[in-house]
Amino acid sequence: MSSTSSEPKVKGVETIEKFSKPIIGFVTTALPFVIEWVQKGYDIWVKIPSDVARLIVGIIFCFFGGVYPTLFAAIQAVKAGGFNVLQEAIIDLTEEAQKIMEASKKDDDVD
């Protein structure tokens, strides 16, 4: 009886591995590029004049159409909830992810 109950568990684990491995592979491949693009975008964002920044935000709001109220509410919630704390947390997570990826590459090179 124990062998039949463990078979579905093994199949479940195999199914999870089957779907999670490609996802994890994609995330670990894409994450460095996403981090780089976001850093470049932030560097550009900081340098542009505030009028241009408002124009860009306005155009984004304009083209989001039906989700405009949701987008606006989310932005206001982030501002009210502590944007600086969120920004610091994202920076910390980015640095940790970069350290993990570098350590993983070093480990892969050893193997």
Side-chain angles (χ1 to χ4, degrees), residues 12-80:
V13 170
E14 289 173 355
T15 304
I16 291 171
E17 285 180 351
K18 178 180 169 184
F19 289 108
S20 65
K21 281 187 179 181
I23 293 170
I24 292 170
F26 173 76
V27 169
T28 55
T29 303
L31 192 60
F33 296 110
V34 171
I35 291 171
E36 182 181 342
W37 293 337
V38 169
Q39 287 174 342
K40 286 180 181 179
Y42 180 75
D43 291 341
I44 292 169
W45 182 259
V46 172
K47 292 177 184 175
I48 62 174
S50 63
D51 291 342
V52 175
R54 288 181 183 168
L55 174 71
I56 292 169
V57 170
I59 289 172
I60 290 170
F61 280 161
C62 218
F63 287 107
F64 269 94
V67 296
Y68 169 79
T70 306
L71 179 64
F72 187 74
I75 290 171
Q76 292 302 316
V78 167
K79 286 182 180 179

Side-chain angles (χ1 to χ4, degrees), residues 31-39 86-102:
L31 192 60
F33 296 110
V34 171
I35 291 171
E36 182 181 342
W37 293 337
V38 169
Q39 287 174 342
L86 176 66
Q87 185 178 19
E88 290 175 16
I90 291 173
I91 290 170
D92 289 344
L93 288 172
T94 302
E95 291 171 356
E96 288 295 319
Q98 288 174 333
K99 289 177 186 177
I100 291 169
M101 288 185 294
E102 289 172 6

Side-chain angles (χ1 to χ4, degrees), residues 1-11:
M1 188 168 190
S2 63
S3 65
T4 58
S5 66
S6 67
E7 288 179 19
K9 290 180 185 178
V10 171
K11 284 189 175 186

